[in-house]
Amino acid sequence: MTRILTRRNSHSGGLAGAFCFLVIPLTTVFLSPQAPPAAPPTLRALAASHQITIGTAVPTHLLSEPDYTAILTSEFSQLEPENEMKFAPIHPRPDSDSQPFNFAPADALVAFAHDHGMLVRGHTLVWHKQVPDWITKKDFTAQQLAGVLHNHIRTLVSRYRSKVYAWDVVNEAFDADGSLRNTVWSSRPGIDAGPGTKFIEQAFRWAREADPASKLFYNDYDTEEINAKSDAIYAMAKDFNQRGVPLDGVGFQAHLTLKFNDPAKLESFAKNLDRFAKLGLELHITELDVRLDDSAPASVAAQARLYGEITSICVRQPTCKLIQTWGFTDKHSWIPGFFHGQGWALPWDETYQKKPAYEALRSALH
Ligand code: XIL
């Protein structure tokens, strides 16, 4: 613009002036080395325009891989420690030990996120997996176990106060039929909190005591659709809501297969989000991946459609505030190790090339 005005002023009137007026802007656009074509917006920028956070699960050891961090910091606005804040990794030794906690790997993730303007979501305080032997192999009374869990929650939540904006307080506490899973925390021996969902309530109350500001989530898988399990979580959320138990949101893991690419299932997912939203809860898609049996172009294209559908459903639901994938590159994904013969679940391939799923995420966030 400045250039155009300057030219116009120095050639006021006449054919030469008119000629320059037309030619200079064209050369500016097409020839100037200072004007490279604008890079397409990142997922992070697009998500921000909808006030949506876009996150991914990150293990500490990958922070030293430059190809990995280049994508992580440009495309994502949040990270979630993949394992580093789970019970066994962060609290590997009993409280009687001189060093019961191992904070360093989680601290490194928190510091990295801070340095790159990313949010951190904490995962997870109460889960039946990755519980250390010093708990599972010892005969605690329910009362003693309550003391252990209370101290664990208080220590983590207060350490990361104002650094972790949201916590998965309780993860995967229900079975598929909607009954409570029998775990060390619920019933073997349990934490002496009373019947049913009382142990979940207790964990939320302890977390709130330790940080009045962070958002407290219940998180689970196979709860995207309306089914027995999501019904049970909905009933619990409604009850907590009525009684003032500090539950701020619900996380839907969304570890999916192509079977979910079905209009009835997608509609059920949207309706399910709707009913939770009506309880005033914040909704997060917390662990999205779409595992495949092969990497044939048709499978990869169907995967992209499903990534797009899930993202669009979140974008359309005003209280859905997070889309988070469980990792972002097929080079580093939990799927091949846990689902025999399956893989190719993420938006970048093993060589960090963007897959059609990436473009689908981008279009859905436009
Ligand atoms: C997985 C991690 O990705 C693996 O590295 C680990 O070995 C097992 O756990 N639901 C969850 C996540 O809530 O914590 C799990 O993460 C995947 C399923």
Side-chain angles (χ1 to χ4, degrees):
M1 196 60 191
T2 321
R3 270 179 98 166
I4 296 170
L5 290 175
T6 314
R7 292 286 171 177
R8 283 185 86 177
N9 290 344
S10 58
H11 295 275
S12 46
L15 208 60
F19 178 74
C20 283
F21 177 64
L22 288 173
V23 169
I24 298 301
L26 288 178
T27 54
T28 307
V29 171
F30 293 112
L31 300 177
S32 167
Q34 288 133 13
T42 59
L43 300 181
R44 181 174 176 155
L46 291 169
S49 71
H50 298 279
Q51 283 85 49
I52 288 178
T53 300
I54 179 126
T56 192
V58 176
T60 311
H61 69 98
L62 293 182
L63 296 182
S64 56
E65 205 189 297
D67 289 346
Y68 179 93
T69 53
I71 296 174
L72 173 65
T73 55
S74 57
E75 297 281 356
F76 295 93
S77 50
Q78 168 180 301
L79 65 79
E80 178 161 309
E82 184 169 352
N83 291 296
E84 292 74 356
M85 289 184 178
K86 292 174 182 172
F87 208 122
I90 206 164
H91 196 166
R93 288 168 294 272
D95 297 311
S96 54
D97 196 277
S98 62
Q99 285 200 311
F101 289 92
N102 175 32
F103 294 122
D107 286 357
L109 288 168
V110 170
F112 181 92
H114 182 260
D115 290 348
H116 294 89
M118 300 170 81
L119 295 170
V120 181
R121 198 173 178 285
H123 176 78
T124 173
L125 301 168
V126 184
W127 192 29
H128 62 286
K129 290 193 173 162
Q130 294 179 259
V131 180
D133 285 355
W134 68 266
I135 290 182
T136 52
K137 299 233 161 96
K138 197 178 162 209
D139 283 329
F140 284 108
T141 65
Q143 244 176 3
Q144 286 168 332
L145 196 62
V148 166
L149 187 62
H150 189 180
N151 178 52
H152 177 79
I153 292 177
R154 183 176 43 216
T155 305
L156 263 65
V157 175
S158 50
R159 179 180 186 86
Y160 296 113
R161 204 183 288 152
S162 82
K163 293 179 176 148
V164 163
Y165 82 104
W167 278 101
D168 283 332
V169 178
V170 179
N171 196 36
E172 305 181 353
F174 288 89
D175 278 322
D177 65 0
S179 59
L180 282 166
R181 192 191 290 274
N182 290 323
T183 72
V184 65
W185 308 119
S186 66
S187 50
R188 291 196 324 247
I191 60 161
D192 197 30
T197 57
K198 285 277 179 198
F199 82 99
I200 301 179
E201 174 175 345
Q202 179 60 269
F204 276 85
R205 292 194 188 281
W206 284 333
R208 175 59 80 235
E209 250 168 48
D211 183 355
S214 78
K215 297 179 182 184
L216 306 181
F217 277 73
Y218 177 82
N219 190 51
D220 215 326
Y221 66 95
D222 284 350
T223 51
E224 293 75 30
E225 285 177 84
I226 296 181
N227 56 30
K229 195 173 179 180
S230 64
D231 281 352
I233 295 164
Y234 177 75
M236 174 182 76
K238 200 171 169 187
D239 168 48
F240 281 9
N241 190 291
Q242 279 162 358
R243 293 188 299 107
V245 180
L247 170 75
D248 298 306
V250 173
F252 301 85
Q253 292 186 6
H255 291 295
L256 304 176
T257 67
L258 291 180
K259 287 201 190 108
F260 210 85
N261 212 352
D262 163 336
K265 289 182 186 294
L266 291 166
E267 196 189 326
S268 181
F269 179 38
K271 284 196 174 143
N272 195 29
L273 291 189
D274 243 5
R275 67 172 173 166
F276 279 97
K278 289 197 175 97
L279 295 178
L281 295 164
E282 184 163 323
L283 309 178
H284 286 180
I285 294 170
T286 50
E287 305 185 13
L288 177 61
D289 52 20
V290 180
R291 55 189 187 270
L292 302 177
D293 297 330
D294 58 66
S295 59
S299 310
V300 168
Q303 175 186 55
R305 283 195 294 278
L306 185 50
Y307 264 95
E309 293 285 359
I310 297 293
T311 306
S312 299
I313 288 171
C314 178
V315 170
R316 284 200 299 270
Q317 169 56 252
T319 61
C320 183
K321 291 292 177 201
L322 169 70
I323 298 166
Q324 176 163 262
T325 57
W326 205 243
F328 61 85
T329 164
D330 292 337
K331 187 176 179 189
H332 304 292
S333 163
W334 75 301
I335 294 294
F338 281 78
F339 297 91
H340 186 67
Q342 296 187 303
W344 309 280
L346 293 165
W348 278 261
D349 72 11
E350 300 85 346
T351 62
Y352 291 115
Q353 297 305 303
K354 291 168 180 160
K355 291 162 63 180
Y358 173 83
E359 299 304 337
L361 275 166
R362 186 143 72 187
S363 318
L365 288 169
H366 248 297

